[in-house]
């Protein structure tokens, strides 16, 4: 059921499938006789140099994939100086993440209920010296996810006979969790903090955004945006960057392919506004495609958890290296030495 939780999508899964197909259909122009012997994969995000052109999207309860996944992701982020999204419902505290990542972590915030817990978490992130806040906007309600319902998967866990049988029949995973302790929503173990995953987040509106903008003096990124109209207004309201995202196909099954919306939003916003992208990235070549479609930086989600589940920290490191090599080789094949000015690499 943990695999199904990580791998699953909203509804029937057509939205995720359509976006994967749309990414596959992005064509790149191959160029020849260009000196590409020296390639620079670094990019700059909010004035800081990142040594890799991708980072990690905020994901709930990463330690479910394998023990110590949180720390392993943070170490990679620190090594490559790349942003690491920290979920509101992470399995390690926001204070641990900012320390492990050597300051690279970005805190992802959900608005929920009447906002009391939301604003308390915002203040806590300030005290922990976070510099970037990622406000996720595409979850006014948790979507219908059939696999989770079929498996009886909830956060926090409710273990009944069916779940117990599932754990017993997967001893490698279960023994690891027993030895290291079953993951919990770490940010809500402190006194005065609580979280209900089923609690409505539907009250958030433009006034809410204004309140958050007034309280947060650091960089504010709006995540889960696929509408050109919303992107333009968010920029007008003082948001510092937009993360174009379909939540990995886990929210609205009828969503248009986010990779195509990225191109539309870039065309509307002009060349200079910071746009980030996640959803459907599965390879180094996909990373390059997202840059060509208008991204300033790219985030990955599921594939990081797959790598951790398969091989722990070593598996993650190997996957990271594989992605970097994929980006580098793709740049060579299209006659590029860096990821700036990539729009002319699209095959129209």
């Amino acid at each position: 059921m943990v695999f199904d939780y990580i791998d699953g999508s909203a509804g029937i899964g057509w939205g995720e499938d359509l976006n994967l197909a749309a990414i596959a259909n992005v064509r790149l122009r191959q160029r020849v006789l260009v000196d590409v012997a020296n390639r620079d994969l670094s990019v700059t995000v909010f004035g800081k140099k990142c040594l890799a052109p991708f980072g990690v999207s905020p994901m709930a309860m990463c330690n479910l994939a394998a023990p110590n996944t949180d720390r392993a992701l943070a170490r990679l982020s620190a090594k490559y100086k790349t942003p690491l999204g920290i979920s509101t419902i992470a399995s390690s505290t926001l204070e641990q993440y900012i320390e492990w990542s050597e300051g690279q972590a970005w805190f992802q915030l959900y608005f929920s209920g009447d906002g009391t817990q939301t604003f308390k978490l915002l203040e806590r992130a300030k005290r922990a010296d976070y510099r970037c806040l990622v406000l996720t906007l595409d979850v006014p309600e948790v979507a219908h996810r059939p696999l989770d319902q079929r498996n009886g998967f909830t956060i926090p866990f409710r273990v009944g006979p069916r779940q117990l049988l599932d754990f017993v029949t997967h001893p490698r995973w279960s023994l690891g969790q027993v030895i290291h302790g079953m993951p919990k929503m770490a940010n809500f173990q402190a006194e005065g903090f609580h979280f209900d995953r089923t609690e409505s987040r539907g009250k958030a509106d433009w006034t809410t955004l204004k309140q958050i903008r007034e309280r947060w003096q650091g960089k504010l990124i709006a995540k889960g945006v696929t509408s050109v109209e919303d992107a333009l207004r968010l920029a007008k309201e003082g948001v510092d960057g937009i993360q174009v995202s379909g939540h990995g196909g886990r929210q609205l099954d009828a969503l248009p392919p986010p990779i195509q919306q990225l191109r539309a939003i870039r065309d509307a916003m002009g060349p200079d506004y910071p746009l980030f992208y996640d959803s459907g990235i599965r390879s180094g070549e996909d990373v390059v495609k997202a840059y060509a479609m208008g991204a300033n930086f790219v985030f990955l989600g599921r594939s990081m958890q797959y790598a951790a589940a398969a091989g722990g920290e070593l598996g993650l490191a190997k996957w990271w290296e594989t992605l970097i090599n994929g980006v580098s080789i793709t740049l060579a094949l299209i006659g590029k030495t860096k990821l700036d000015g990539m729009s002319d690499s699209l095959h129209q």
Side-chain angles (χ1 to χ4, degrees):
M1 76 177 188
V2 172
F3 174 82
D4 284 347
Y5 167 67
I6 294 170
D7 186 65
S9 302
I12 298 173
W14 287 339
E16 181 188 13
D17 291 345
L18 188 63
N19 188 51
L20 290 172
I23 293 173
N25 285 330
V26 174
R27 303 287 89 188
L28 298 174
R29 297 174 62 213
Q30 190 172 31
R31 303 302 301 272
V32 299
L33 294 177
V34 179
D35 183 350
V36 292
N38 296 305
R39 299 183 293 279
D40 180 5
L41 304 190
S42 67
V43 295
T44 301
V45 177
F46 294 137
K48 295 179 66 175
K49 184 178 181 179
C50 304
L51 303 183
F54 55 83
V56 182
S57 272
M59 296 176 286
M61 305 291 285
C62 289
N63 282 351
L64 285 175
N68 297 317
T69 298
D70 291 346
R71 188 188 289 265
L73 287 169
R75 285 173 174 166
L76 283 168
S77 176
K79 178 179 178 180
Y80 289 95
K81 310 298 181 188
T82 59
L84 170 66
I86 308 306
S87 173
T88 292
I89 50 175
S91 44
S92 298
T93 66
L94 60 92
E95 291 85 1
Q96 288 173 313
Y97 264 119
I98 198 74
E99 178 183 352
W100 293 338
S101 69
E102 299 177 9
Q104 302 299 323
W106 293 6
F107 184 59
Q108 176 266 327
L109 185 68
Y110 283 121
F111 182 91
S112 61
D114 64 1
T116 300
Q117 292 291 309
T118 301
F119 293 124
K120 286 178 68 175
L121 282 168
L122 185 153
E123 294 301 323
R124 186 171 162 185
K126 281 185 186 178
R127 293 193 297 272
D129 202 27
Y130 277 78
R131 305 299 172 87
C132 293
L133 186 72
V134 181
L135 181 63
T136 296
L137 300 175
D138 60 345
V139 192
E141 301 289 349
V142 177
H144 173 61
R145 297 175 189 166
L147 289 176
D148 288 352
Q149 292 188 343
R150 187 180 308 159
N151 293 325
F153 181 92
T154 59
I155 296 178
F157 279 137
R158 295 188 183 95
V159 179
R162 183 173 183 176
Q163 290 75 37
L164 188 60
L165 178 62
D166 192 357
F167 296 162
V168 168
T169 55
H170 294 85
R172 175 176 172 241
W173 180 89
S174 299
L175 287 173
Q177 299 296 341
V178 168
I179 292 169
H180 292 88
M182 188 66 75
K184 298 179 180 179
M185 295 183 294
N187 288 320
F188 298 94
Q189 301 304 302
E191 185 177 353
F193 289 88
H194 67 270
F195 183 81
D196 180 356
R197 185 171 180 247
T198 65
E199 186 176 46
S200 175
R201 301 164 190 169
K203 287 186 177 181
D205 58 15
W206 292 99
T207 300
T208 308
L209 175 66
K210 183 178 180 180
Q211 292 170 341
I212 291 172
R213 178 71 281 182
E214 289 172 348
R215 286 170 167 80
W216 184 260
Q217 286 72 51
K219 297 295 185 182
L220 179 62
I221 299 97
K223 182 180 183 297
V225 179
T226 56
S227 159
V228 170
E229 293 82 2
D230 285 345
L232 290 169
R233 182 166 179 184
L234 284 162
K236 185 178 179 181
E237 296 288 340
V239 169
D240 298 296
I242 289 169
Q243 190 158 329
V244 178
S245 169
H247 217 103
R250 295 168 68 81
Q251 279 301 110
L252 181 62
D253 202 15
L255 198 69
I259 193 69
Q260 294 178 357
Q261 296 307 106
L262 170 63
R263 181 71 259 168
I265 291 172
R266 170 56 72 201
D267 289 343
M269 304 290 285
D272 299 325
Y273 187 84
L275 290 183
F276 312 127
Y277 179 79
D278 73 73
S279 292
I281 301 297
R282 299 289 189 270
S283 68
E285 191 166 296
D286 288 348
V287 172
V288 175
K289 288 179 178 182
Y291 276 88
M293 294 292 275
N296 295 110
F297 196 75
V298 175
F299 290 90
L300 291 90
R302 280 188 185 91
S303 68
M304 295 295 183
Q305 295 207 50
Y306 295 153
E313 187 162 4
L314 290 176
L316 269 171
K318 181 64 175 177
W319 176 230
W320 201 282
E321 292 169 6
T322 300
L323 284 168
I324 286 174
N325 288 337
V327 172
S328 183
I329 291 168
T330 303
L331 284 180
L333 292 172
I334 63 175
K336 292 286 186 179
T337 59
K338 57 184 180 179
L339 287 155
D340 295 336
M342 290 289 296
S343 62
D344 64 349
S345 294
L346 287 174
H347 177 75
Q348 304 296 336

